[in-house]
Amino acid sequence: MELIRNIAGRQRRRLLTFAAATTVAALALSGCAASAPAEDDGAVSAEGASITFIPKNLNNPYITLELSGAKEAAEELGMVYNEAAPLDAGADSQIPFIQTEVQNGTQIIAVSPNDPNAVCPALEDARAGGAKIITFDSDSARECRDIFINQVSVELVAQGMLEQLFEQIGGTGEIAILSATAAAPNQNSWIEAMIAEIDANPEYEWDLVATVYGDDDDTKSFQEAQGLLQAYPELDGIISPTTVGIAATARYLSTSEYKGQVALVGLGLPGQMKEYVLDGTVEAFALWDPSEVGYLSVYAGKALLEGTITGAEGETFEAGKLGTYTIGPDGLIIVGELLKFNAENIDQYEYISF
């Protein structure tokens, strides 16, 4: 079975859109609506129920895509949708937003933790108050949430990025990783899986010279990419498993002497990466459809609230246009597959800004 699927063969072509995010520190929160209790198990109807998404930060096109899917699903289900997030991706920055949701009595809280442990006390308070807790895109400690919506399995993401790098530079040379924040659970799990795969695969004899962090900030990521090439002028490849980091690194490489000399792979948005693919800066990159992460999270929240699922392994639920999903070990739900983008297929996407 292929580890990465070419988007040209996909039956349902997703429209990846992104928008300029707002510059306010958080979006306004509205009150939650009452919903009728179930007959005897304490579950309630999802229609009219309140759900709030707390992503890592604002001003991030990837997050805008995730939330667009969440809004779509909430509208389909007649739920009261809200979102709130800090401007920065600090470990503690999400805590006051979670606490606000507890005070508001929000019934479903979906959070993408910047730190797996920092948010736990606030999430535990929310659960004690009766809220259903979903982590999406990035996980907390298991005991702090009900289920985790993950984009693609950790192993497939790691293997996919390494395969793309191997296709471009072979199995030798100096490589580096440009990540998001040092505490980001998803980033760290991918990095750990990549290192394990490099150690286990005899074809991979790369020298991993550095791992740096751009904090999911465009300017800092650009500076870190520049710093990598200054410190390691013989660098052969950079892996950036963050949409902010790969776009900033591509922008730096595109006007530098290293364009076409240093391979760049990772996770990127087609709308941001198209120009760098067409001008030869980037040969290939990967991702999934971020909107599906948000969409599935809402339907999982509905199932939790209505008592259809509890987060136990083997439970199934319906997720609208995405079909039926089964919960895996530790409350894990995998959205889909890793998609590969290159010059041959990137024009098949439409790019809309609004």
Side-chain angles (χ1 to χ4, degrees):
M1 174 176 165
E2 294 183 355
L3 295 177
I4 47 181
R5 181 170 54 141
N6 191 297
I7 192 62
R10 201 175 189 207
Q11 293 180 349
R12 293 178 305 152
R13 186 174 303 159
R14 299 285 179 204
L15 193 63
L16 292 182
T17 65
F18 64 90
T22 62
T23 57
V24 295
L27 298 177
L29 300 171
S30 63
C32 50
S35 32
E39 293 181 358
D40 58 6
D41 62 0
V44 297
S45 171
E47 185 173 359
S50 56
I51 182 168
T52 294
F53 276 72
I54 304 176
K56 292 181 177 180
N57 61 337
L58 295 177
N59 300 328
N60 185 323
Y62 174 87
I63 290 172
T64 300
L65 279 171
E66 282 188 317
L67 297 182
S68 71
K71 292 174 187 175
E72 178 186 353
E75 289 177 1
E76 290 176 1
L77 297 173
M79 300 174 74
V80 178
Y81 172 87
N82 299 292
E83 58 191 47
L87 287 173
D88 67 274
D92 300 326
S93 61
Q94 295 165 307
I95 293 174
F97 294 94
I98 298 171
Q99 292 170 335
T100 296
E101 298 311 307
V102 176
Q103 295 168 2
N104 287 350
T106 300
Q107 292 159 288
I108 307 168
I109 300 174
V111 60
S112 179
N114 287 317
D115 184 284
N117 299 310
V119 296
C120 272
L123 292 180
E124 288 171 344
D125 286 344
R127 293 183 84 188
K132 303 301 182 182
I133 304 300
I134 298 169
T135 53
F136 68 98
D137 191 59
S138 181
D139 200 11
S140 69
R142 172 65 180 94
E143 64 272 15
C144 305
R145 46 78 173 168
D146 295 300
I147 55 176
F148 170 40
I149 308 295
N150 198 13
Q151 314 93 331
V152 182
S153 75
V154 169
E155 293 75 19
L156 290 184
V157 173
Q159 292 167 5
M161 289 187 289
L162 295 181
E163 285 182 352
Q164 288 187 321
L165 186 63
F166 183 80
E167 290 169 358
Q168 295 180 48
I169 70 170
T172 60
E174 293 184 350
I175 65 172
I177 296 171
L178 195 159
S179 184
T181 63
N186 56 347
Q187 297 285 313
N188 288 338
S189 63
W190 293 329
I191 292 170
E192 290 169 5
M194 283 192 287
I195 292 173
E197 181 70 15
I198 290 171
D199 291 341
N201 192 326
E203 289 187 307
Y204 299 156
E205 298 179 355
W206 299 307
D207 181 12
L208 178 58
V209 296
T211 298
V212 298
Y213 302 92
D215 293 343
D216 260 351
D217 177 81
D218 177 77
T219 300
K220 189 171 189 295
S221 297
F222 183 94
Q223 293 169 345
E224 291 292 344
Q226 185 178 37
L228 277 175
L229 272 305
Q230 291 174 346
Y232 304 98
E234 301 302 316
L235 201 62
D236 295 286
I238 297 173
I239 305 171
S240 188
T242 158
T243 59
V244 175
I246 194 173
T249 303
R251 191 171 77 254
Y252 169 69
L253 291 175
S254 68
T255 59
S256 76
E257 62 184 293
Y258 302 102
K259 178 180 178 180
Q261 304 301 314
V262 176
L264 173 62
V265 300
L267 305 176
L269 291 168
Q272 289 183 312
M273 298 300 294
K274 179 179 179 180
E275 64 176 292
Y276 304 117
V277 171
L278 297 183
D279 74 5
T281 300
V282 175
E283 183 174 318
F285 64 99
L287 197 64
W288 42 85
D289 185 341
S291 69
E292 292 183 350
V293 177
Y295 186 94
L296 182 58
S297 296
V298 172
Y299 271 88
K302 170 187 183 294
L304 282 169
L305 193 65
E306 294 183 339
T308 305
I309 61 173
T310 64
E313 184 176 357
E315 294 177 332
T316 62
F317 66 98
E318 294 297 321
K321 66 184 181 182
L322 298 183
T324 303
Y325 279 80
T326 301
I327 301 177
D330 296 322
L332 172 65
I333 303 170
I334 300 294
V335 178
E337 301 177 60
L338 190 65
L339 309 175
K340 180 179 179 180
F341 305 93
N342 54 38
E344 294 180 0
N345 62 31
I346 201 163
D347 275 331
Q348 295 176 20
Y349 276 77
E350 296 180 55
Y351 303 91
I352 299 175
S353 60
F354 56 93

